[in-house]
């Protein structure tokens, strides 16, 4: 069962309507972020029930065709499902799950960071989930030093480099990329929170 699950998870594509499909031959393409993607035909160049590889940009003759294994994959997704990370993608998506005490109660904050954009993670529907807007508004009412201290505590909690000589170099390198992504994501959220505080100060003044 585990082997069957691994085969499907490492080969399947999610289409635009949420369908999960296996696409023999198309799944031979190597991954590259924001490259070609697999989806149903558009009804013009391919039948609507066909599964096709759609190039994001023109591909020169005799050049390798890449595909994006997920529409907006984080390196955690790639490592868990495909066994590698995309270290060259500086704009990789980062999913963050942060603890935060809101009105005396410990809540969870589920965020997606893409570049410098931060949004609520729409895949998280837990009852204790705290919306991004409430989080930013609460931080805006606090001193900036307190906000910096909160994020510094989260950054300090991210494990450092692996020192164990027995660990595989490739695994250590992949984990380093994942941790760098997490640091970058936290720094983006921190900067957004501090900018909201400045807006709050200007509006109050």
């Amino acid at each position: 069962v585990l082997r069957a699950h691994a085969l499907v998870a490492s080969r399947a594509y999610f289409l635009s309507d949420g369908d999960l499909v296996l696409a023999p031959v198309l799944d031979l393409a190597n991954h590259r972020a924001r490259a070609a993607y697999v989806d149903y035909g558009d009804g013009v160049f391919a039948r609507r029930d066909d599964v096709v590889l759609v190039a994001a940009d023109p591909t020169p003759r005799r050049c390798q065709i890449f595909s994006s294994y997920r529409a907006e994959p984080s390196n955690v997704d790639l490592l868990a499902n495909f066994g590698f990370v995309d270290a060259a993608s500086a704009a990789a998506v980062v999913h963050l799950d942060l603890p935060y005490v809101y009105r005396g109660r410990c809540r969870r904050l589920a965020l997606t960071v893409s570049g410098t954009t931060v949004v609520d993670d729409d895949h998280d529907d837990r009852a204790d989930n705290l919306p991004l807007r409430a989080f930013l508004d609460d931080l805006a009412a606090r001193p900036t030093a307190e906000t910096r201290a909160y994020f510094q505590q989260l950054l300090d909690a991210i494990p450092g480099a692996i020192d164990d000589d027995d660990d595989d170099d490739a695994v250590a390198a992949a984990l380093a990329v994942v941790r760098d992504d997490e640091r970058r994501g936290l720094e983006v959220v921190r900067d957004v929170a501090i900018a909201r505080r400045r807006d709050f100060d200007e509006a109050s003044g």
Side-chain angles (χ1 to χ4, degrees):
V1 174
L2 288 176
R3 177 175 172 77
H5 178 273
L7 287 172
V8 172
S10 64
R11 290 292 178 183
Y13 287 92
F14 282 98
L15 305 186
S16 57
D17 65 353
D19 284 350
L20 183 68
V21 300
L22 290 172
V25 180
L26 298 184
D27 63 9
L28 294 175
N30 288 319
H31 170 80
R32 177 175 289 174
R34 298 177 179 83
Y37 60 94
V38 173
D39 207 345
Y40 286 122
D42 60 3
V44 178
F45 296 101
R47 295 181 304 179
R48 293 190 181 278
D49 57 351
D50 285 344
V51 175
V52 297
L53 185 67
V54 183
D57 296 300
T59 302
R61 290 182 61 187
R62 304 181 189 278
C63 287
Q64 181 177 175
I65 296 176
F66 294 89
S67 73
S68 299
Y69 289 173
R70 295 285 188 271
E72 289 285 341
S74 70
N75 275 319
V76 172
D77 295 331
L78 293 176
L79 184 59
N81 290 294
F82 305 104
F84 70 91
V85 294
D86 187 359
S89 179
V93 170
V94 183
H95 300 292
L96 298 175
D97 184 14
L98 311 179
Y100 187 73
V101 177
Y102 182 74
R103 297 180 180 177
R105 179 184 166 199
C106 187
R107 303 284 293 274
R108 306 299 301 187
L109 189 70
L111 303 174
T112 296
V113 181
S114 179
T116 58
T117 302
V118 183
V119 297
D120 285 306
D121 191 336
D122 58 6
H123 298 295
D124 194 292
D125 57 358
R126 294 174 305 185
D128 65 341
N129 193 37
L130 179 67
L132 174 61
R133 182 169 182 174
F135 169 73
L136 293 176
D137 286 347
D138 193 65
L139 283 178
R142 300 171 183 265
T144 300
E146 190 173 326
T147 296
R148 290 187 183 278
Y150 166 73
F151 282 101
Q152 191 59 51
Q153 185 177 19
L154 295 174
L155 287 165
D156 291 343
I158 298 174
I162 298 175
D163 296 325
D164 190 345
D165 293 336
D166 294 332
D167 281 305
D168 186 275
D169 289 343
V171 173
L175 289 175
V177 170
V178 169
R179 289 165 181 170
D180 284 345
D181 282 350
E182 187 176 358
R183 291 186 188 93
R184 178 176 53 80
L186 283 172
E187 289 167 354
V188 169
V189 180
R190 178 198 61 198
D191 293 346
V192 168
I194 291 174
R196 177 67 68 91
R197 170 69 194 193
R198 293 196 195 102
D199 294 341
F200 179 81
D201 288 341
E202 291 174 2
S204 300

